[in-house]
Amino acid sequence: MAFFVLGVGLGIYMGANQDFRLMHVHAHLNLLGWVALALIGLLYATHPHLQEGWLPRAHYWLHTVGLVAFMGGFAWSRVSGTFLLLPVALGSSMVALGVLLFAVNVFRRLTQRTSVD
């Protein structure tokens, strides 16, 4: 929910000030932060067994902390004109690893579940 509020708030700010330098940050916050995590939450709610173990927790923290670092570094780069490679590279890699863990969890557990049923 926090990413949704940040994304919408940033969109309103940009529109009110006609300053669209952070358009990419706005889009990533809404898509990776709100839409992706909301859909993942829906999947976890409809298949509660996916929440078991360390993979879902690792995915959540990698995705969340990675997105904050990624978007923070990206926003700073857009505002200051100085590209910050470390937070952007590290944060985006964390998000990608989190998504990979999510995919492994889903494919492993849903295929096991359907083969048993």
Side-chain angles (χ1 to χ4, degrees):
M1 184 64 75
F3 288 124
F4 182 54
V5 172
L6 284 171
V8 169
L10 182 57
I12 292 169
Y13 171 82
M14 289 186 310
N17 291 298
Q18 295 296 296
D19 180 2
F20 300 102
R21 289 179 294 170
L22 298 175
M23 181 177 18
H24 296 92
V25 175
H26 162 73
H28 280 83
L29 284 174
N30 282 320
L31 291 175
L32 285 174
W34 169 241
V35 176
L37 288 175
L39 290 172
I40 289 164
L42 261 166
L43 190 62
Y44 282 157
T46 57
H47 300 280
H49 66 284
L50 292 175
Q51 300 174 40
E52 298 166 5
W54 65 273
L55 281 175
R57 286 186 293 284
H59 160 244
Y60 171 79
W61 286 109
L62 283 166
H63 195 124
T64 302
V65 173
L67 188 58
V68 169
F70 180 22
M71 291 301 100
F74 197 38
W76 179 263
S77 297
R78 296 293 296 155
V79 170
S80 72
T82 305
F83 185 71
L84 298 177
L85 179 64
L86 184 63
V88 172
L90 183 63
S92 61
S93 297
M94 289 171 71
V95 172
L97 179 58
V99 169
L100 179 63
L101 292 180
F102 171 71
V104 166
N105 185 37
V106 168
F107 288 120
R108 190 177 74 184
R109 294 214 175 170
L110 284 184
T111 55
Q112 286 176 351
R113 185 82 164 192
T114 55
S115 64
V116 173
D117 291 340

